[in-house]
Amino acid sequence: MPHFFDLLLQNTITMMAIVDPLGVSAIMLSLLPEGTTKETISKIAFKSTLTIIVAFFIVLISGNFLLQLFGIEIDSLKVMGGIILLLMAIKMVNGSSESKNQTKEERVETLRHDEFSIIPLGIPITFGPGIFATVVIIRNQSESFAAISAFILAYLLVALTVYLAFKNSIYIRQYLGITGSKIITRLMGLIVGAIAIQFIVAGISVLVKEYYT
């Protein structure tokens, strides 16, 4: 049981840092026009959270199959996933935002589509390549029932946090302010960067032993 809670805590922290609920909630607000009602935000929060939960279970079930289908080794994915996470971490530390390239007209147009909660907010802003690779890697490392259960529960806790962050995004922005949100995102970026380095080093070390020994 202590091992279960250790895995639960470790997986929750890892995925929480990668998803960065406060950061993506700020992106969501930046994509929405001013004057968006709380009721609309609540609906978007529910639909986007449901989207990332469905995406998680699809990747959880089919991740290994996709690796086998394309003949990709898990250690190669660790290296590539680590590079993706490292690039994400650099953007987070630098305070970059995916929404900066969108004009106000594009943001209004985005809201007109009911799919906004699914694309782009759910996928790929919240459930992007970084969390995709992380889910496949952790799933591959989770061999026991307890490890898989801890992994699933950890992600559901992250999804719940995303829902609460989206639903209360207006209050969070008022409480933390722009500076507070940036500080938290940059701290998460440091954690994501450390996770990325671990993935890259672990993957490269195995590949080097496999191909050069």
Side-chain angles (χ1 to χ4, degrees):
M1 189 62 69
H3 181 61
F4 174 85
F5 286 111
D6 288 342
L7 287 174
L8 177 61
L9 180 61
Q10 179 182 346
N11 291 335
T12 301
I13 293 174
T14 297
M15 292 186 289
M16 192 78 75
I18 295 170
V19 174
D20 186 19
L22 293 179
V24 291
S25 68
I27 292 175
M28 180 192 73
L29 284 181
S30 69
L31 289 171
L32 298 176
E34 295 182 8
T36 303
T37 64
K38 295 177 182 178
E39 182 181 358
T40 299
I41 291 178
S42 295
K43 290 180 180 179
I44 291 174
F46 177 79
K47 290 181 181 179
S48 59
T49 302
L50 184 61
T51 297
I52 65 172
I53 291 175
V54 172
F56 167 78
F57 281 104
I58 290 175
V59 175
L60 185 73
I61 295 171
S62 64
N64 286 336
F65 170 75
L66 292 175
L67 292 181
Q68 294 173 2
L69 179 65
F70 293 103
I72 302 172
E73 296 184 15
I74 187 63
D75 295 297
S76 299
L77 183 64
K78 281 184 180 180
V79 176
M80 190 61 218
I83 294 173
I84 292 173
L85 289 178
L86 186 59
L87 294 175
M88 284 177 53
I90 293 172
K91 287 183 178 180
M92 292 169 72
V93 171
N94 289 333
S96 299
S97 172
E98 294 183 34
S99 62
K100 286 181 179 179
N101 295 326
Q102 287 198 327
T103 64
K104 186 173 182 180
E105 289 75 13
E106 288 174 327
R107 296 174 189 176
V108 174
E109 182 64 25
T110 299
L111 185 63
R112 291 174 185 164
H113 298 283
D114 187 53
E115 293 84 1
F116 169 70
S117 303
I118 301 173
I119 299 172
L121 184 58
I123 302 170
I125 292 178
T126 308
F127 196 95
I131 193 66
F132 175 91
T134 303
V135 169
V136 176
I137 292 169
I138 296 179
R139 169 63 184 90
N140 190 269
Q141 295 174 342
S142 304
E143 298 178 353
S144 65
F145 176 77
I148 295 174
S149 299
F151 179 40
I152 294 174
L153 181 56
Y155 186 82
L156 292 178
L157 289 174
V158 173
L160 176 60
T161 305
V162 169
Y163 172 74
L164 294 175
F166 283 178
K167 184 179 175 63
N168 300 286
S169 55
I170 295 177
Y171 304 111
I172 293 173
R173 183 170 63 177
Q174 290 175 348
Y175 181 76
L176 292 178
I178 297 176
T179 302
S181 298
K182 287 182 178 180
I183 290 174
I184 293 176
T185 297
R186 285 171 178 170
L187 289 174
M188 292 297 101
L190 293 175
I191 297 175
V192 172
I195 295 169
I197 297 299
Q198 288 182 336
F199 280 172
I200 293 172
V201 171
I204 290 178
S205 62
V206 174
L207 291 173
V208 168
K209 290 179 181 178
E210 182 176 343
Y211 289 99
Y212 295 98
T213 57

